[in-house]
Amino acid sequence: MTKLTRDKNYLETYLKSQGWLEENETITSTEVPGEGNMNFTLRVDTGERTFIVKQSRDFVEKYPQVAAPAERALREAEFYELTSEKPELKAMMPNILGLDKENNVMVMDDLGAGSDYTHVYKKGQTIPEDELMEIMDFAADLHNGFSAKTASKVIHNLKMRELNHEHMFVYPYLDDNGLNLDDILPGLAEIGKMYKADEELKAELEKMGKLYLADGDKLLHGDYFLGSWLKTKDGVRIIDPEFCFFGPAEFEIGVTIAHLKMADQSEELIKKALDHYSAKAKLDEELRKKFTATEILRRILGLAQLPLEIGLEKRKSLLAEARGTLIKH
Protein backbone atom coordinates (compact mmCIF):
# COMPACT_ATOMS: atom_id res chain seq x y z
CA MET A 1 0.00 0.00 0.00
CA THR A 2 1.21 3.52 -0.82
CA LYS A 3 1.91 5.37 2.42
CA LEU A 4 1.57 9.11 1.96
CA THR A 5 4.02 11.53 3.56
CA ARG A 6 4.46 15.30 3.65
CA ASP A 7 7.39 15.08 1.21
CA LYS A 8 6.28 17.46 -1.56
CA ASN A 9 7.92 15.60 -4.46
CA TYR A 10 6.52 12.26 -3.33
CA LEU A 11 3.05 13.73 -2.76
CA GLU A 12 3.06 15.53 -6.12
CA THR A 13 4.00 12.33 -7.95
CA TYR A 14 1.22 10.41 -6.22
CA LEU A 15 -1.45 13.08 -6.80
CA LYS A 16 -0.52 13.36 -10.47
CA SER A 17 -0.63 9.58 -10.87
CA GLN A 18 -4.25 9.74 -9.66
CA GLY A 19 -5.13 12.63 -11.97
CA TRP A 20 -5.78 14.93 -8.99
CA LEU A 21 -3.06 17.43 -9.93
CA GLU A 22 -2.62 18.93 -13.39
CA GLU A 23 0.67 18.13 -15.12
CA ASN A 24 1.95 21.70 -14.66
CA GLU A 25 0.53 22.07 -11.13
CA THR A 26 2.93 21.96 -8.17
CA ILE A 27 2.54 21.92 -4.40
CA THR A 28 3.65 25.16 -2.77
CA SER A 29 2.95 24.09 0.81
CA THR A 30 1.17 21.58 3.03
CA GLU A 31 -0.18 21.81 6.58
CA VAL A 32 -2.13 19.67 9.02
CA PRO A 33 -5.65 21.19 8.94
CA GLY A 34 -6.81 20.26 12.45
CA GLU A 35 -6.32 18.21 15.59
CA GLY A 36 -7.86 14.97 14.30
CA ASN A 37 -6.86 11.70 15.99
CA MET A 38 -7.59 9.04 13.43
CA ASN A 39 -6.00 9.71 10.03
CA PHE A 40 -3.13 11.16 8.02
CA THR A 41 -4.70 14.43 6.86
CA LEU A 42 -3.11 17.32 4.94
CA ARG A 43 -4.21 20.60 3.44
CA VAL A 44 -2.43 20.90 0.08
CA ASP A 45 -1.85 24.36 -1.42
CA THR A 46 -0.83 24.68 -5.07
CA GLY A 47 -0.85 28.47 -5.11
CA GLU A 48 -4.01 28.35 -7.24
CA ARG A 49 -6.22 26.21 -4.98
CA THR A 50 -6.24 24.21 -1.77
CA PHE A 51 -7.75 20.80 -1.04
CA ILE A 52 -7.67 18.15 1.68
CA VAL A 53 -5.95 14.77 1.34
CA LYS A 54 -6.94 12.09 3.84
CA GLN A 55 -5.52 8.57 4.14
CA SER A 56 -6.70 5.99 6.65
CA ARG A 57 -4.17 3.41 7.79
CA ASP A 58 -4.33 0.24 9.86
CA PHE A 59 -3.64 2.22 13.04
CA VAL A 60 -4.81 5.42 14.72
CA GLU A 61 -2.58 8.32 13.66
CA LYS A 62 -2.45 9.89 17.15
CA TYR A 63 -2.05 6.51 18.90
CA PRO A 64 -0.02 4.29 16.50
CA GLN A 65 -0.17 1.44 19.04
CA VAL A 66 -3.97 1.27 18.53
CA ALA A 67 -4.98 -0.84 15.51
CA ALA A 68 -7.87 0.46 13.38
CA PRO A 69 -9.65 -0.62 10.17
CA ALA A 70 -7.55 0.67 7.26
CA GLU A 71 -10.54 1.12 4.94
CA ARG A 72 -12.40 3.59 7.16
CA ALA A 73 -11.87 6.43 4.66
CA LEU A 74 -13.96 4.40 2.22
CA ARG A 75 -16.83 4.25 4.73
CA GLU A 76 -16.57 8.02 5.14
CA ALA A 77 -16.75 8.38 1.36
CA GLU A 78 -19.88 6.20 1.32
CA PHE A 79 -21.47 8.54 3.85
CA TYR A 80 -20.71 11.60 1.70
CA GLU A 81 -22.01 9.84 -1.40
CA LEU A 82 -25.23 8.74 0.29
CA THR A 83 -25.97 12.09 1.95
CA SER A 84 -25.32 13.94 -1.33
CA GLU A 85 -28.85 12.78 -2.23
CA LYS A 86 -30.15 15.42 0.22
CA PRO A 87 -29.19 19.00 -0.77
CA GLU A 88 -29.61 20.37 2.78
CA LEU A 89 -27.06 17.82 4.07
CA LYS A 90 -24.69 18.02 1.11
CA ALA A 91 -24.46 21.81 1.53
CA MET A 92 -22.98 21.35 5.02
CA MET A 93 -20.22 18.88 4.08
CA PRO A 94 -17.17 18.75 1.81
CA ASN A 95 -17.42 17.33 -1.72
CA ILE A 96 -15.30 14.33 -2.68
CA LEU A 97 -12.88 15.25 -5.47
CA GLY A 98 -11.28 11.83 -5.77
CA LEU A 99 -11.11 8.40 -4.17
CA ASP A 100 -8.28 5.84 -4.33
CA LYS A 101 -9.88 2.68 -2.97
CA GLU A 102 -6.70 0.63 -3.26
CA ASN A 103 -4.79 2.95 -0.91
CA ASN A 104 -7.70 4.26 1.21
CA VAL A 105 -7.10 7.84 0.12
CA MET A 106 -9.79 10.49 -0.30
CA VAL A 107 -9.36 14.00 -1.69
CA MET A 108 -11.97 16.57 -0.65
CA ASP A 109 -12.87 20.22 -0.91
CA ASP A 110 -11.04 22.45 1.52
CA LEU A 111 -13.72 24.10 3.63
CA GLY A 112 -11.32 26.93 4.41
CA ALA A 113 -9.41 28.10 7.42
CA GLY A 114 -12.22 27.37 9.83
CA SER A 115 -11.82 25.89 13.28
CA ASP A 116 -13.68 23.11 15.03
CA TYR A 117 -15.56 23.71 18.28
CA THR A 118 -13.11 21.98 20.64
CA HIS A 119 -12.21 25.39 22.10
CA VAL A 120 -15.62 25.18 23.82
CA TYR A 121 -14.08 22.66 26.26
CA LYS A 122 -12.08 25.60 27.69
CA LYS A 123 -13.32 27.37 30.81
CA GLY A 124 -15.86 30.08 30.13
CA GLN A 125 -16.37 29.23 26.43
CA THR A 126 -19.90 28.85 25.08
CA ILE A 127 -21.12 27.54 21.76
CA PRO A 128 -23.36 30.18 20.13
CA GLU A 129 -26.99 29.10 20.35
CA ASP A 130 -27.80 29.71 16.68
CA GLU A 131 -24.83 27.59 15.59
CA LEU A 132 -25.76 24.76 17.95
CA MET A 133 -29.30 24.78 16.55
CA GLU A 134 -27.83 24.39 13.02
CA ILE A 135 -25.85 21.42 14.31
CA MET A 136 -29.01 19.87 15.79
CA ASP A 137 -30.88 20.57 12.54
CA PHE A 138 -28.26 18.64 10.57
CA ALA A 139 -28.64 15.65 12.90
CA ALA A 140 -32.44 15.72 12.67
CA ASP A 141 -32.36 16.02 8.86
CA LEU A 142 -29.84 13.18 8.67
CA HIS A 143 -31.86 10.85 10.90
CA ASN A 144 -35.14 11.71 9.19
CA GLY A 145 -33.59 11.52 5.74
CA PHE A 146 -32.43 7.90 5.62
CA SER A 147 -33.99 4.65 6.76
CA ALA A 148 -32.26 1.28 6.47
CA LYS A 149 -35.49 0.00 4.89
CA THR A 150 -35.44 2.44 1.97
CA ALA A 151 -31.88 3.83 1.62
CA SER A 152 -30.06 3.30 -1.68
CA LYS A 153 -27.16 1.87 0.37
CA VAL A 154 -26.91 0.64 3.95
CA ILE A 155 -23.61 1.33 5.71
CA HIS A 156 -22.80 -1.23 8.43
CA ASN A 157 -19.22 -0.18 9.24
CA LEU A 158 -18.97 -2.99 11.78
CA LYS A 159 -15.17 -2.95 12.08
CA MET A 160 -15.20 0.71 13.15
CA ARG A 161 -18.05 0.03 15.53
CA GLU A 162 -16.11 -2.84 17.06
CA LEU A 163 -13.12 -0.52 17.58
CA ASN A 164 -15.33 2.14 19.17
CA HIS A 165 -17.16 -0.50 21.23
CA GLU A 166 -13.85 -1.63 22.74
CA HIS A 167 -12.95 1.92 23.79
CA MET A 168 -16.43 2.88 24.91
CA PHE A 169 -17.69 -0.18 26.76
CA VAL A 170 -14.67 -2.35 27.64
CA TYR A 171 -11.23 -0.68 27.82
CA PRO A 172 -11.96 1.99 30.51
CA TYR A 173 -13.09 -0.76 32.93
CA LEU A 174 -10.14 -3.15 32.54
CA ASP A 175 -8.08 -3.40 35.74
CA ASP A 176 -4.74 -2.99 34.00
CA ASN A 177 -5.37 -1.10 30.76
CA GLY A 178 -2.05 0.76 30.81
CA LEU A 179 -3.67 4.18 31.25
CA ASN A 180 -2.64 6.17 34.33
CA LEU A 181 -5.53 8.53 34.94
CA ASP A 182 -3.44 10.53 37.43
CA ASP A 183 -1.33 11.67 34.46
CA ILE A 184 -4.48 13.33 33.14
CA LEU A 185 -5.62 14.77 36.47
CA PRO A 186 -4.22 13.87 39.90
CA GLY A 187 -6.85 12.00 41.93
CA LEU A 188 -8.66 10.62 38.88
CA ALA A 189 -7.06 7.15 39.15
CA GLU A 190 -8.56 6.57 42.60
CA ILE A 191 -12.01 7.51 41.30
CA GLY A 192 -11.47 5.28 38.26
CA LYS A 193 -10.79 2.27 40.49
CA MET A 194 -14.34 2.44 41.85
CA TYR A 195 -15.81 2.20 38.36
CA LYS A 196 -13.48 -0.62 37.33
CA ALA A 197 -14.68 -2.61 40.34
CA ASP A 198 -18.38 -1.84 39.74
CA GLU A 199 -19.81 -5.12 38.42
CA GLU A 200 -23.37 -3.78 38.36
CA LEU A 201 -22.29 -0.87 36.16
CA LYS A 202 -20.29 -3.14 33.85
CA ALA A 203 -23.34 -5.40 33.38
CA GLU A 204 -25.39 -2.36 32.26
CA LEU A 205 -22.62 -1.20 29.97
CA GLU A 206 -22.53 -4.64 28.36
CA LYS A 207 -26.22 -4.24 27.48
CA MET A 208 -25.62 -0.78 26.03
CA GLY A 209 -22.68 -2.10 24.04
CA LYS A 210 -24.87 -4.77 22.44
CA LEU A 211 -27.38 -2.07 21.45
CA TYR A 212 -24.58 -0.07 19.83
CA LEU A 213 -23.32 -3.07 17.84
CA ALA A 214 -26.82 -4.05 16.66
CA ASP A 215 -27.86 -2.66 13.27
CA GLY A 216 -30.54 0.03 13.45
CA ASP A 217 -32.72 2.12 11.18
CA LYS A 218 -31.27 5.67 11.12
CA LEU A 219 -28.17 6.87 9.29
CA LEU A 220 -25.79 8.25 11.93
CA HIS A 221 -22.66 10.35 11.62
CA GLY A 222 -21.32 8.14 14.41
CA ASP A 223 -18.98 10.63 16.12
CA TYR A 224 -21.10 13.75 16.43
CA PHE A 225 -19.20 16.00 18.82
CA LEU A 226 -17.34 19.30 18.96
CA GLY A 227 -14.38 18.02 16.92
CA SER A 228 -16.63 17.04 13.99
CA TRP A 229 -18.27 20.47 13.67
CA LEU A 230 -16.45 23.25 11.82
CA LYS A 231 -17.07 26.98 11.99
CA THR A 232 -16.18 28.47 8.60
CA LYS A 233 -16.69 31.82 6.90
CA ASP A 234 -19.63 30.18 5.09
CA GLY A 235 -21.25 28.84 8.26
CA VAL A 236 -21.30 25.56 10.18
CA ARG A 237 -19.92 22.50 8.38
CA ILE A 238 -19.83 18.81 9.38
CA ILE A 239 -16.78 16.58 8.85
CA ASP A 240 -15.23 13.19 9.75
CA PRO A 241 -18.17 10.76 9.55
CA GLU A 242 -15.84 7.71 9.46
CA PHE A 243 -17.72 6.03 12.34
CA CYS A 244 -21.00 6.29 10.38
CA PHE A 245 -23.54 3.45 10.45
CA PHE A 246 -27.26 2.77 10.54
CA GLY A 247 -28.25 2.66 14.19
CA PRO A 248 -30.34 4.36 16.90
CA ALA A 249 -30.63 8.15 16.78
CA GLU A 250 -30.38 8.08 20.58
CA PHE A 251 -26.72 7.08 20.30
CA GLU A 252 -25.92 10.10 18.12
CA ILE A 253 -27.74 12.65 20.25
CA GLY A 254 -26.56 10.93 23.44
CA VAL A 255 -22.94 11.51 22.41
CA THR A 256 -23.62 15.13 21.43
CA ILE A 257 -25.25 15.95 24.77
CA ALA A 258 -22.43 14.21 26.69
CA HIS A 259 -19.90 16.54 25.09
CA LEU A 260 -21.97 19.64 25.80
CA LYS A 261 -22.11 18.56 29.45
CA MET A 262 -18.36 17.88 29.63
CA ALA A 263 -17.77 21.28 28.02
CA ASP A 264 -19.77 22.71 30.94
CA GLN A 265 -22.46 24.29 28.77
CA SER A 266 -25.54 25.53 30.61
CA GLU A 267 -28.45 23.20 31.30
CA GLU A 268 -30.67 25.79 29.59
CA LEU A 269 -28.65 25.59 26.36
CA ILE A 270 -28.57 21.79 26.47
CA LYS A 271 -32.34 21.66 26.96
CA LYS A 272 -32.85 24.03 24.01
CA ALA A 273 -30.68 21.80 21.83
CA LEU A 274 -32.67 18.69 22.81
CA ASP A 275 -36.01 20.46 22.33
CA HIS A 276 -34.90 21.75 18.93
CA TYR A 277 -33.95 18.26 17.76
CA SER A 278 -37.09 16.66 19.24
CA ALA A 279 -39.34 19.13 17.45
CA LYS A 280 -38.09 17.67 14.15
CA ALA A 281 -37.20 14.03 14.92
CA LYS A 282 -38.32 11.29 17.30
CA LEU A 283 -36.16 10.55 20.33
CA ASP A 284 -36.46 8.04 23.17
CA GLU A 285 -35.21 10.32 25.93
CA GLU A 286 -34.46 7.51 28.41
CA LEU A 287 -32.28 5.68 25.90
CA ARG A 288 -30.61 8.96 24.89
CA LYS A 289 -29.70 9.61 28.54
CA LYS A 290 -28.12 6.18 28.82
CA PHE A 291 -25.95 6.75 25.77
CA THR A 292 -24.98 10.16 27.17
CA ALA A 293 -23.92 8.38 30.36
CA THR A 294 -21.78 5.81 28.52
CA GLU A 295 -19.99 8.55 26.56
CA ILE A 296 -19.23 10.60 29.70
CA LEU A 297 -17.83 7.55 31.48
CA ARG A 298 -15.73 6.57 28.46
CA ARG A 299 -14.29 10.02 27.85
CA ILE A 300 -13.36 10.73 31.47
CA LEU A 301 -12.03 7.25 32.26
CA GLY A 302 -10.81 6.02 28.84
CA LEU A 303 -8.05 6.52 26.30
CA ALA A 304 -9.75 9.07 24.01
CA GLN A 305 -9.28 12.00 26.36
CA LEU A 306 -10.58 15.50 25.63
CA PRO A 307 -8.98 18.89 26.41
CA LEU A 308 -11.36 19.33 29.35
CA GLU A 309 -10.79 22.13 31.83
CA ILE A 310 -13.37 20.97 34.37
CA GLY A 311 -11.84 20.01 37.73
CA LEU A 312 -11.80 16.75 39.64
CA GLU A 313 -15.00 17.43 41.57
CA LYS A 314 -16.96 18.25 38.41
CA ARG A 315 -15.69 15.07 36.72
CA LYS A 316 -16.58 13.07 39.82
CA SER A 317 -20.07 14.56 39.74
CA LEU A 318 -20.55 13.80 36.02
CA LEU A 319 -19.39 10.20 36.54
CA ALA A 320 -21.74 9.70 39.49
CA GLU A 321 -24.65 11.17 37.51
CA ALA A 322 -23.82 8.87 34.58
CA ARG A 323 -23.76 5.81 36.84
CA GLY A 324 -27.08 6.85 38.38
CA THR A 325 -28.60 7.11 34.90
CA LEU A 326 -27.52 3.57 34.00
CA ILE A 327 -28.36 1.96 37.35
CA LYS A 328 -31.67 3.00 38.85
CA HIS A 329 -32.62 1.40 42.15
Side-chain angles (χ1 to χ4, degrees), residues 53-221:
V53 177
K54 178 184 274 195
Q55 182 175 43
S56 54
R57 298 165 178 171
D58 60 1
F59 57 88
V60 175
E61 201 72 16
K62 188 174 178 181
Y63 306 104
Q65 73 277 18
V66 178
E71 69 279 8
R72 60 190 177 273
L74 307 185
R75 303 293 83 77
E76 179 171 349
E78 287 172 354
F79 181 92
Y80 290 136
E81 285 159 6
L82 186 53
T83 52
S84 70
E85 296 172 12
K86 308 284 182 186
E88 69 278 14
L89 298 175
K90 181 178 169 61
M92 289 183 70
M93 290 183 293
N95 294 307
I96 298 177
L97 305 177
L99 189 63
D100 173 4
K101 292 184 178 181
E102 188 183 339
N103 293 298
N104 303 312
V105 178
M106 178 167 48
V107 173
M108 297 175 288
D109 280 340
D110 182 9
L111 296 175
S115 62
D116 64 27
Y117 284 83
T118 52
H119 66 277
V120 178
Y121 293 120
K122 294 184 184 297
K123 260 197 179 73
Q125 293 289 315
T126 305
I127 186 165
E129 186 180 319
D130 60 332
E131 291 165 24
L132 181 55
M133 297 313 140
E134 274 190 73
I135 287 160
M136 301 312 288
D137 277 334
F138 179 93
D141 290 342
L142 177 65
H143 303 157
N144 284 337
F146 298 91
S147 163
K149 300 179 192 74
T150 56
S152 58
K153 181 181 182 64
V154 175
I155 304 169
H156 297 287
N157 209 1
L158 190 56
K159 287 182 183 176
M160 284 295 274
R161 271 192 281 165
E162 286 169 348
L163 172 68
N164 205 32
H165 176 274
E166 174 71 20
H167 285 276
M168 196 165 191
F169 301 99
V170 181
Y171 173 90
Y173 311 99
L174 297 176
D175 277 332
D176 188 16
N177 58 19
L179 179 64
N180 183 2
L181 291 171
D182 279 346
D183 289 344
I184 294 151
L185 190 65
L188 195 55
E190 195 59 38
I191 294 165
K193 277 183 197 170
M194 293 163 34
Y195 291 89
K196 288 179 179 182
D198 192 335
E199 296 304 324
E200 196 176 5
L201 174 65
K202 287 193 275 189
E204 286 304 309
L205 286 164
E206 189 178 351
K207 290 178 198 169
M208 295 303 294
K210 284 177 180 169
L211 268 181
Y212 172 67
L213 287 175
D215 290 332
D217 185 51
K218 305 297 184 187
L219 177 57
L220 309 185
H221 175 285

